[in-house]
Structure formats: structure tokens, C-alpha cells
Amino acid sequence: MTANSRYKSRAPRPEDGEEKDYVGFATLPNQVHRKSVKKGFDFTLMVAGESGLGKSTLVNSLFLTDLHKDRKLLNAEERISQTVEITKHTVDIEEKGVKLKLTIVDTPGFGDAVNNTGCWRNVTDYIDQQFEHYFRDESGLNRKNIQDNRVHCCLYFIPPFGHGLRPVDIGFMKALQEKVNVVPLIAKADCLTPSEIKKLKERLREEIDKFGIKIYQFPDCDSDEDDEFKRQDKELKESSPFAVIGSNTVVEARGQRVRGRLYPWGIVEVENPSHCDFVKLRTMLIRTHMHDLKDITSDVHYENYRAQSIQTMTSKMNADKRVESPIPILPLSTPDVETEKLIKMKDDELRRMQQMLQKMQQQMHEQDL
């Protein structure tokens, strides 16, 4: 079979009207989907907040995994001398053929000291280090297999007791607002009544606006989205900051086995929307806005770091060029003076050659005579 006959056999048949009008680029989303599923996805989540607020339990509840099997709990005396550390746990999760490389960045020791002034510096330094590593890899020769360890989202846990944001909460979120997507959470929401949760949410929203804290903003829905998605997006926006409860224990409630916490007065169900905002947080973080969190990290936070780094490098290079040399340099002649000198030298040389040629011709003429 020749090449021409092979192409003719693949051409649409004239009697098929649909094949005539079908080019094929409508399958591009399917091609992207297959390639993405084959490559897999990665997501880096940071959790921050003082000890005892249920950070590890919530992460295990969100992704149905156990990331802290061998964790050692420190006593009060050990926590006093402990500094803020950065620990990283990576786990590969697969669901319906889709692979996710999940990295959890924990900050043990944050907010546990007597003096918490500047306790977020190790966190901001870690985020900047990941930006720097990505910037170096992106500027290198091998850009095909760049490993993305940039922090895409930071869940910041706010204690349920108290009357709003503490100075350490304000300082932490303002220090990270230009580097990462900050999502504030009300931890251990089962400590509060529904009315108390409502008042605390209103107070937190007012203080976030008052102190100019930039937290993650949900994108606006497109006009062509269905009503169900618009309703869900509206509920997510109205529920922020989310009041969450975490639990890895399975209990029996109403004849069903659910994840929850068993108390003398009843059962708190983690996945019951009337008990807490766990389902809304999981929907936002994993099912609807994970890609948007990654896009903002890449297009906004990383681009700001990249532009600042390039500007710093350029300013340093210009400053190095302006450094005065210890050896005095004589002023150079202007291009016009140099050109005139060169032309004059060429004219003199040409004149000498003409004179020599005339002498040789005269001598030859005299010999002929």
C-alpha cells in the first residue's frame, strides 16, 4: 500500500455528512486529559498553627491517609526550648487512575514559645527557598524534569478560644500574604456553639479587612457555569473562614458508620455540613479550586519573586560596572578624530607609493634610451 492510498483510506467518506464537517480539534481536551493523567499531579500544602489544634488530624481526614505515624509528642518543657522547624512529608495517592503526589509541610514549634516575635521567619525563608530552587532549575539547561516544590496553599489554624485574631496571627498572615495562598481556619469548631461560630467568623472577617490581610480570594464564577456550581461557590465564599473538625475515628451514628468524635452528649460527624465546614474545605481544596491555587502560585506569587530576583541581579550588575577602577584610565579619542588620523595615514602611504612608482617608471625609461 502506497502512502497516497493509505491517506485516501483514512479520509472521511463523502456520504457521511457529519465526517465532512468534523475536523478533529474538538478532541484536544481529551488529549490533554490523557497526558495529564499519565504524568500525574503534584500539590504542596502547608499547615501552620500552634500545637494541639488538630492540624495533623485534619490533613489525615482530608486525604484519608496517615502522614505522622512515628511522630513524637513533646512535653511542655521541651516545647519551651524548641524553635520553629520545617518538616516535610510526601505521599503518593491514587484515585480512579489519577495519581497525586501530595507534600505536606508542617511547622512544629510555631506559636509555642513564650516570646513569638518573628516566629514566622523560618516559614517565609522556606517558601523563598522553594521559589529560588525552582527559579534556578527553570533557568538551567535541563528544564524538562523540573520538580515543583513550591508551596501552593497554607492552612492557618486559628484557636477557637479568644475573641478574634491575636498579634501572632496577624503577623504570620501578613508575612505570608505575598508569598502563598493563605486560607484561615477555625480549629476545633466542636468547642463552639453554632451562634458562637457565626459571631467568631464575622469578627475574623472584620479584623482581616481592618488589618489589610490578603487571604485567598475565590475566583468569580463564569457566566456559563450551571446553577448548581454557582450555588456551591456562593456557599464556599459565605462560609470563609471555615470552621473545621478532624477525626480519624469511625463511629456509629443512626445505624451508619461515619468518621466523627464521640462525646458523652452525642456524636460530632466530621462530614456532616450542619456540624462543621469540613466538607466545604475539602470541596474547595481538592475538588474545585486546587488548580486555581496552583495557578495563582505560579502566575502571581512566583512571578513576583522572579521579577524581584531579576531586578536585584540587574541592579547588582549595574553597580559592579560603576565601580571605579584603581588604575587611572586616559580619556579615549572620539571616533571622528580616530577616523581622521587613519585617513591621513592612508593618504600619506598612498602618496609615497605613487612617488616610488614614478621613480621606477623614470628609471626604466632612461634604460631604454
Side-chain angles (χ1 to χ4, degrees):
M1 181 184 295
T2 63
N4 292 335
S5 61
R6 184 167 68 249
Y7 292 144
K8 289 180 181 178
S9 64
R10 293 180 180 178
R13 291 173 296 177
E15 62 269 17
D16 193 349
E18 294 182 0
E19 289 292 336
K20 282 184 178 180
D21 300 333
Y22 180 73
V23 177
F25 57 80
T27 62
L28 283 174
N30 297 333
Q31 298 175 35
V32 174
H33 177 264
R34 287 195 299 269
K35 186 176 180 180
S36 300
V37 170
K38 184 178 180 180
K39 182 180 179 182
F41 301 88
D42 52 69
F43 188 74
T44 302
L45 177 67
M46 175 180 283
V47 290
E50 63 186 38
S51 302
L53 293 180
K55 301 187 297 296
S56 302
T57 304
L58 181 69
V59 171
N60 293 337
S61 303
L62 283 171
F63 298 96
L64 299 179
T65 184
D66 189 1
L67 295 172
H68 303 83
K69 296 179 182 179
D70 303 326
R71 184 180 59 168
K72 178 185 176 182
L73 298 179
L74 303 178
N75 56 35
E77 184 178 357
E78 291 173 329
R79 286 203 302 268
I80 291 177
S81 59
Q82 184 190 25
T83 58
V84 180
E85 299 178 357
I86 303 294
T87 60
K88 187 169 68 171
H89 305 272
T90 302
V91 60
D92 294 324
I93 306 174
E94 184 172 351
E95 182 183 56
K96 295 183 179 180
V98 179
K99 298 178 181 179
L100 174 67
K101 181 182 178 182
L102 175 66
T103 302
I104 303 297
V105 181
D106 199 358
T107 57
F110 175 82
D112 294 340
V114 176
N115 183 6
N116 292 310
T117 303
C119 60
W120 50 80
R121 290 196 182 97
N122 288 354
V123 180
T124 56
D125 291 343
Y126 175 82
I127 297 174
D128 287 337
Q129 288 174 4
Q130 306 314 307
F131 282 153
E132 182 181 359
H133 292 163
Y134 191 87
F135 179 66
R136 288 183 178 179
D137 293 342
E138 189 183 44
S139 305
L141 297 177
N142 185 14
R143 300 176 57 188
K144 186 176 181 180
N145 299 317
I146 298 178
Q147 188 173 3
D148 187 7
N149 291 320
R150 296 172 295 182
V151 181
H152 301 117
C153 179
C154 176
L155 300 180
Y156 184 70
F157 288 69
I158 300 173
F161 37 82
H163 302 283
L165 295 176
R166 302 167 301 169
V168 65
D169 302 328
I170 299 172
F172 178 87
M173 289 191 284
K174 287 184 73 69
L176 268 71
Q177 62 184 5
E178 301 292 348
K179 301 177 182 293
V180 68
N181 299 300
V182 179
V183 178
L185 304 177
I186 300 175
K188 292 186 176 294
D190 49 341
C191 297
L192 304 173
T193 64
S195 60
E196 290 174 337
I197 292 176
K198 184 178 179 181
K199 291 180 180 179
L200 182 57
K201 284 187 175 184
E202 293 175 354
R203 181 68 180 270
L204 292 177
R205 292 193 199 104
E206 292 176 359
E207 293 184 344
I208 287 173
D209 293 337
K210 176 182 177 181
F211 294 105
I213 301 173
K214 300 177 184 177
I215 61 174
Y216 172 70
Q217 298 294 328
F218 296 97
D220 296 330
C221 288
D222 296 331
S223 58
D224 57 348
E225 297 287 354
D226 56 7
D227 294 337
E228 177 65 21
F229 184 82
K230 292 180 179 179
R231 182 190 62 80
Q232 186 183 58
D233 184 74
K234 183 180 179 181
E235 289 182 358
L236 291 177
K237 293 178 180 178
E238 292 177 350
S239 300
S240 180
F242 300 110
V244 295
I245 302 170
S247 175
N248 298 323
T249 306
V250 178
V251 297
E252 187 171 346
R254 302 185 305 276
Q256 297 180 350
R257 294 179 63 81
V258 297
R259 282 188 301 157
R261 305 182 72 88
L262 181 61
Y263 291 97
W265 44 264
I267 297 175
V268 176
E269 300 176 32
V270 172
E271 298 181 351
N272 190 335
S274 62
H275 291 183
C276 68
D277 297 329
F278 174 83
V279 174
K280 295 177 182 177
L281 173 64
R282 184 179 62 187
T283 299
M284 182 278 296
L285 190 63
I286 303 174
R287 301 182 180 180
T288 58
H289 291 77
M290 177 179 283
H291 202 275
D292 185 66
L293 290 167
K294 297 184 65 174
D295 285 344
I296 293 179
T297 300
S298 178
D299 300 339
V300 179
H301 299 305
Y302 171 69
E303 284 300 320
N304 291 339
Y305 173 85
R306 181 174 176 272
Q308 186 177 2
S309 298
I310 294 176
Q311 184 178 4
T312 303
M313 293 168 59
T314 305
S315 301
K316 186 177 180 181
M317 291 175 61
N318 294 335
D320 293 341
K321 290 180 180 179
R322 287 195 297 267
V323 174
E324 295 183 359
S325 176
I327 303 175
I329 301 175
L330 297 176
L332 299 175
S333 303
T334 60
D336 293 339
V337 175
E338 290 291 339
T339 304
E340 291 178 359
K341 288 183 177 180
L342 183 61
I343 293 175
K344 185 177 180 181
M345 290 174 59
K346 293 295 184 182
D347 289 342
D348 295 341
E349 185 178 359
L350 182 60
R351 190 178 300 109
R352 287 195 300 268
M353 291 181 64
Q354 289 178 348
Q355 292 175 357
M356 291 177 59
L357 183 61
Q358 288 178 359
K359 289 181 179 179
M360 292 176 61
Q361 290 177 350
Q362 186 177 1
Q363 290 176 0
M364 291 177 61
H365 181 67
E366 291 178 352
Q367 289 179 0
D368 293 339
L369 294 176

